[in-house]
Amino acid sequence: MTEPELEKKLILVLEGKKQLAELLGLDATQMRLLAELAFLFFEEGRYDEARLIFEGLLALDLNNDYYSRALGAVHHRLGNYEMAVRYYLRAIKIDENAPEAQASLGEAYLMQGDRDRALAQLEKAEKLFRTIRPWSGQRQRVQALLKLFRRTVS
């Protein structure tokens, strides 16, 4: 690839018309395998390794809500709630109908002590789960948190 061709392709990436992964020739299978590896690191408690891979994946595909949500989860586990909120909000900006991101944002707000925002997000997540994924395990956690909220308010 010549320098002018590369420059044109990079401009498309900067304009948001192409993703860096596409420019580098990474296909969906390769991206999925990297995401699975990062998730395994996350599940093993190897958060720094998971974070690094998810950050790389997000840099390669800025419009992927899962990578943003995963980075939010990593920061959530590390107790970096402000960063978790930022990544959850980014995921919601990409896909506002993702109940997992809404629920996780609500939980992060709760950890920050922002009960009003937490309650609003959890209610929104419950509504989305009800219509999109009614049998989700995360929905059950959201319902339990909402029940607890209602008991403490009463």
Side-chain angles (χ1 to χ4, degrees), residues 17-153:
K17 296 177 181 171
K18 275 193 176 224
Q19 295 301 320
L20 188 55
E22 185 181 346
L23 176 71
L24 296 173
L26 294 171
D27 64 26
T29 300
Q30 293 166 317
M31 297 288 283
R32 184 181 46 77
L33 288 172
L34 286 169
E36 287 176 11
L37 176 63
F39 181 74
L40 288 173
F41 283 149
F42 177 81
E43 284 196 321
E44 292 176 358
R46 297 167 63 180
Y47 302 121
D48 286 333
E49 291 145 311
R51 180 185 52 78
L52 285 172
I53 294 171
F54 281 126
E55 283 175 348
L57 289 168
L58 186 59
L60 292 168
D61 184 357
L62 296 171
N63 295 320
N64 188 301
D65 68 308
Y66 173 72
Y67 304 149
S68 293
R69 205 169 62 240
L71 280 165
V74 168
H75 285 284
H76 199 132
R77 286 278 175 94
L78 292 171
N80 302 331
Y81 302 117
E82 186 176 323
M83 287 300 294
V85 165
R86 286 183 188 175
Y87 280 113
Y88 294 143
L89 287 170
R90 180 187 181 104
I92 291 167
K93 186 176 181 183
I94 295 167
D95 181 3
E96 65 185 27
N97 292 317
E100 298 84 3
Q102 301 283 354
S104 297
L105 179 60
E107 291 180 34
Y109 282 147
L110 186 59
M111 297 305 291
Q112 288 181 315
D114 192 339
R115 291 176 51 96
D116 293 337
R117 278 184 165 172
L119 180 60
Q121 282 305 135
L122 292 169
E123 287 175 338
K124 190 172 189 177
E126 164 55 22
K127 183 178 180 182
L128 287 169
F129 274 125
R130 190 174 342 128
T131 58
I132 297 170
R133 282 186 268 297
W135 304 112
S136 167
Q138 193 172 9
R139 179 185 184 206
Q140 293 171 357
R141 188 169 67 242
V142 167
Q143 289 174 323
L145 286 169
L146 287 170
K147 186 182 267 187
L148 183 63
F149 260 113
R150 291 180 184 119
R151 280 187 192 157
T152 58
V153 172

